[in-house]
């Protein structure tokens, strides 16, 4: 995975968790939704990384 794509997943996850932490005191359901979205975002990053690595190993 390239540096730009890694940076995107890291920053988007931090942003989602930051907004979720701010919403805990006002709207718990939206906060939980953002927490789940963050976990899915991190998982998607790992899946994409594995696919890219597998594809590069097949071509080598």
């Amino acid at each position: 995975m390239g540096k730009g794509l890694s940076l995107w997943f890291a920053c988007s996850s931090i942003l989602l968790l930051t907004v979720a932490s701010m919403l805990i005191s006002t709207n718990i359901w939206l906060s939980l939704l953002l927490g789940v979205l963050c976990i899915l975002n991190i998982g998607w990053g790992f899946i994409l990384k594995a696919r890219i690595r597998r594809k590069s190993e097949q071509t080598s």
Side-chain angles (χ1 to χ4, degrees):
M1 182 184 305
K3 289 180 182 179
L5 197 55
S6 296
L7 181 65
W8 165 255
F9 280 111
C11 290
S12 63
S13 296
I14 289 171
L15 182 66
L16 283 170
L17 284 177
T18 302
V19 173
S21 67
M22 286 188 268
L23 288 175
I24 286 176
S25 62
T26 59
N27 191 346
I28 190 68
W29 296 112
L30 192 55
S31 177
L32 288 172
L33 176 68
L34 288 174
V36 169
L37 284 176
C38 181
I39 292 170
L40 291 175
N41 186 39
I42 293 169
W44 183 35
F46 280 120
I47 291 169
L48 191 60
K49 180 180 177 181
R51 285 183 183 174
I52 290 171
R53 186 181 65 229
R54 196 175 313 129
K55 191 174 183 179
S56 69
E57 287 176 356
Q58 287 178 353
T59 58
S60 296

